[in-house]
Amino acid sequence: MNVEIVNEFPHEFLMEQAEPCISIYQPTHRYRPENQQDPIRFKNLLQKVQQELTKEYPANEIKSLLAPLEKLQGERPFWAHAGDGLALFATKDRCIAYRLQRPVPELAVVSNSFHIKPLIRVFQSADRYHLLGVNRQEFKLYEGNRYGIEEVEIPGELAKTKAEAIGDQVTEAYLGAGDSSGAAGTAMMHGHGGKKDEIDIDIERYFRYVDRTVSEHYSKPSGLPLYLVTLTEYHTLFKELSHNPHLQDQGIKSDFEALTLEQLRDMAWQIIEPYYLDKTQKLVESFENSKANGQGSQKIEEVVQAASEDRISRLMLEDGRLYPGKIDLDTGEIETENLQQTTVDDVMDDLAELVFKSGGEVVVLPEERMPVDTGVAAIYRW
């Protein structure tokens, strides 16, 4: 069983109910020497998983279940290309992993369903965006929010440069396909045409590849708005060729290679902040209207009861706010006594998971954008 690196959220595998379901979260590092400690931390988390499994499963079954995860510990390429965080989910038949662009607290959970609450917080926030930096030779993808921006690690099986995507040889401009083939089975064209025309054709072919790759592997799974970062001369061409519905009209007209991450973040936020503020303001207004009509609440007990009945369509949570306790799914009440796992016993996280699994939307907002001071605001379906 190999580990699948995935980007799609929600992923169909996360909705499975199986026994046991293993969920592992850990912060990771991009560079040496810090990333040399990541496999060791992973081993320690596996030991916690094993301790939990021994409470209910025989030794031979545990050995079979943990074997592929223990193998992963020694796979250097996996750890060498880590982002800032890892989320891994496994059953006896399958294992998927997310390379995250932000750290997550260490956590190992064994249950009859996956622990996806930290992942919801990573993926469902109102201020996230993608930047696509592209020129005539290569592209890079970045993911950011109001706090910072990081380059997205593109897996090795996806071409990033023009040479990798369509080959080094310049495509001739006119006539039909000849017998020889370029990279990835692309037929080379033979005929007459100016050198500039030939180069322009290859740029278009490469831009189409970039657009298709980013759309399929990143924009479609994440649903994030995508902003183009490229020289002015390429903006119109790329947008005319693009079929990515997430590509925005505005962009950054500059060579992405000439900008630091901090400069990229500042320039991107100047564009994105007005849209973010407008989006959150409309969400707040919708909550106020719903609450006035008896279709919303900011009281934690009422929101928990509604969530247990699958009645919440949109849930706003204050970023970083914790409410110690857990939800009794049978009664819809909050339990605060005899909590055993303080790392996972958080009502806010339980709420996020309940709403997410019932098809509702979860939005994480900073304290200053929340419409209430209780840390939670819900809009009901009915």
Side-chain angles (χ1 to χ4, degrees):
M1 178 175 65
N2 295 323
V3 176
E4 304 171 47
I5 305 298
V6 300
N7 298 304
E8 178 184 355
F9 184 81
H11 194 283
E12 45 85 17
F13 182 57
L14 298 177
M15 298 298 102
E16 291 191 9
Q17 299 287 324
E19 292 190 21
C21 288
I22 297 172
S23 307
I24 295 176
Y25 293 85
Q26 77 167 84
T28 53
H29 303 82
R30 295 176 181 270
Y31 308 110
R32 295 168 63 94
E34 289 84 1
N35 63 9
Q36 293 177 301
Q37 298 299 313
D38 293 341
I40 299 174
R41 300 176 77 169
F42 183 70
K43 180 181 179 180
N44 294 335
L45 288 169
L46 285 184
Q47 290 176 345
K48 293 181 180 180
V49 169
Q50 185 175 15
Q51 291 172 3
E52 290 300 313
L53 289 171
T54 54
K55 297 177 182 179
E56 296 188 38
Y57 297 92
N60 61 332
E61 191 170 341
I62 295 173
K63 183 178 180 181
S64 175
L65 186 62
L66 292 183
L69 301 183
E70 291 172 343
K71 180 182 177 182
L72 180 65
Q73 179 194 339
E75 293 185 0
R76 292 186 179 181
F78 178 85
W79 299 102
H81 295 91
D84 298 303
L86 171 70
L88 183 145
F89 306 93
T91 64
K92 62 182 179 65
D93 299 315
R94 191 177 180 187
C95 180
I96 68 170
Y98 290 86
R99 288 183 172 135
L100 307 175
Q101 303 307 310
R102 63 184 73 179
V104 288
E106 282 192 2
L107 187 62
V109 179
V110 178
S111 183
N112 60 355
S113 64
F114 290 116
H115 185 75
I116 61 174
K117 292 174 280 191
L119 202 61
I120 294 173
R121 295 207 170 206
V122 169
F123 278 94
Q124 293 200 328
S125 187
D127 60 351
R128 294 172 60 230
Y129 60 86
H130 276 150
L131 296 183
L132 172 60
V134 64
N135 57 31
R136 59 197 297 170
Q137 297 298 334
E138 66 174 334
F139 81 90
K140 290 184 179 180
L141 187 68
Y142 305 87
E143 182 177 324
N145 59 18
R146 63 187 177 272
Y147 300 121
I149 188 171
E150 294 287 349
E151 182 179 347
V152 176
E153 186 74 31
I154 306 296
E157 61 268 21
L158 296 179
K160 291 193 297 183
T161 68
K162 182 167 73 71
E164 292 171 343
I166 67 173
D168 287 319
Q169 188 173 350
V170 175
T171 301
E172 294 189 17
Y174 303 113
L175 293 185
D179 295 330
S180 60
S181 296
T186 303
M188 303 309 297
M189 308 298 289
H190 299 280
H192 302 284
K195 184 76 170 180
K196 183 178 184 301
D197 292 333
E198 297 165 3
I199 293 174
D200 287 346
I201 288 175
D202 278 356
I203 291 175
E204 289 187 13
R205 290 174 58 207
Y206 178 56
F207 281 4
R208 290 183 193 276
Y209 163 79
V210 173
D211 180 66
R212 184 172 62 253
T213 299
V214 172
S215 179
E216 178 181 346
H217 293 279
Y218 297 96
S219 296
K220 184 178 179 180
S222 70
L224 296 182
L226 178 69
Y227 297 87
L228 189 62
V229 186
T230 190
L231 294 174
T232 302
E233 61 190 280
Y234 295 134
H235 262 266
T236 300
L237 172 62
F238 192 95
K239 289 179 179 178
E240 287 177 348
L241 296 174
S242 177
H243 294 283
N244 188 339
H246 299 281
L247 182 63
Q248 306 298 303
D249 290 334
Q250 286 187 282
I252 298 173
K253 295 180 179 180
S254 177
D255 178 6
F256 71 93
E257 291 187 309
L259 301 172
T260 66
L261 286 178
E262 184 177 355
Q263 289 172 324
L264 271 175
R265 184 265 174 196
D266 291 343
M267 296 172 75
W269 195 241
Q270 289 179 16
I271 297 172
I272 295 162
E273 186 176 26
Y275 295 96
Y276 165 69
L277 294 177
D278 181 63
K279 180 178 180 180
T280 54
Q281 182 59 34
K282 288 179 179 177
L283 183 59
V284 168
E285 291 174 358
S286 177
F287 166 72
E288 297 291 355
N289 292 334
S290 297
K291 187 175 68 169
N293 295 325
Q295 296 298 312
S297 178
Q298 65 192 59
K299 297 180 179 179
I300 187 73
E301 295 81 7
E302 294 177 358
V303 174
V304 165
Q305 186 65 49
S308 68
E309 299 168 357
D310 297 341
R311 290 196 292 120
I312 296 179
S313 64
R314 305 179 89 177
L315 177 69
M316 286 173 277
L317 295 175
E318 182 181 315
D319 191 18
R321 185 76 170 261
L322 299 177
Y323 191 106
K326 61 182 179 180
I327 297 175
D328 186 323
L329 298 181
D330 295 326
T331 64
E333 296 179 350
I334 299 173
E335 298 180 358
T336 57
E337 302 294 331
N338 301 318
L339 300 180
Q340 300 297 320
Q341 301 182 53
T342 57
T343 56
V344 297
D345 289 330
D346 173 26
V347 173
M348 298 295 192
D349 277 345
D350 285 346
L351 270 174
E353 185 171 347
L354 280 174
V355 173
F356 173 76
K357 286 190 172 182
S358 67
E361 179 184 6
V362 180
V363 178
V364 181
L365 298 175
E367 180 181 4
E368 65 270 19
R369 298 294 171 201
M370 285 291 293
V372 296
D373 59 8
T374 62
V376 58
I379 299 174
Y380 300 158
R381 291 190 175 100
W382 44 272

